[in-house]
Amino acid sequence: HTISDFSRREIADVFGYPLAQIFVAPPAASPLFAPLGRERTRPALDALNLTYGEFFLVVGTHEPRKNIRTAILAYERLPQSARTRFPLVFAGGRGWGDLDLPGQTEALIREGSIRFVHGVADPQLRDLYEGARLLLAPSLYEGFGMPVVEALACGTPVSHSAETSMDEISGAVGKRVVALDVDAWTSTLKDAIESEDHADLVRREARISRARQFD
């Protein structure tokens, strides 16, 4: 068995294994990843100097396939006033390979608009998910995409790279963006700033319900 229909098709194509004999059993978000509300989420965010609903989040080991470069290039195009109000947080362990980060990354870190948070335990990660205005998942490749289902389980809006396994997770409640299209990712960030999708209770419940399908 495998964890997504995307992986199922890859196994069949690469190894010539009969498609009908590959069973898909997708993973589920831990029960920990559920909304607790602004007041219970705030203390952990305060410790990181973050405001509920006013930061962007990327979750995952820092390695080339996660496409961190594109996220930074897109974010850098926002006005400085927007970057000051809505920092971009990268939460995850240090991975392998050359991330090929843009030259302006260090300057963005110095101004406080880009933050790398390592060694995040699940309870703190839950707070980051719920507090984020938008989860970005710009990966070039994913076998499944646990951050997407975990963020949805917390009620958080999600935008992810199109034509990947993450399409199967988000269904009609996520936004799909071409992985390397910097302009499209910048537009996605601007849309998130201008909308109140994060606070919309009906849409939040739709996202939570979608995540519950992975049980």
Side-chain angles (χ1 to χ4, degrees), residues 184-195:
W185 283 107
T186 301
S187 295
T188 296
L189 293 169
K190 289 179 178 177
D191 289 346
I193 290 172
E194 293 167 1
S195 80

Side-chain angles (χ1 to χ4, degrees), residues 25 57 59 100 128 136 143 182:
L57 180 64
V59 174
D100 191 24
L128 286 169
L136 304 173
V182 176

Side-chain angles (χ1 to χ4, degrees), residues 4 6 137-148 158-171 176 210:
S4 66
F6 178 87
S139 300
L140 300 172
Y141 179 90
E142 289 286 350
F144 181 68
M146 282 303 298
V148 173
V158 169
S159 293
H160 61 79
S161 47
E163 298 183 11
T164 64
S165 60
M166 294 179 285
D167 293 346
E168 300 171 44
I169 304 173
S170 67
R176 301 169 188 180
R210 176 67 186 177

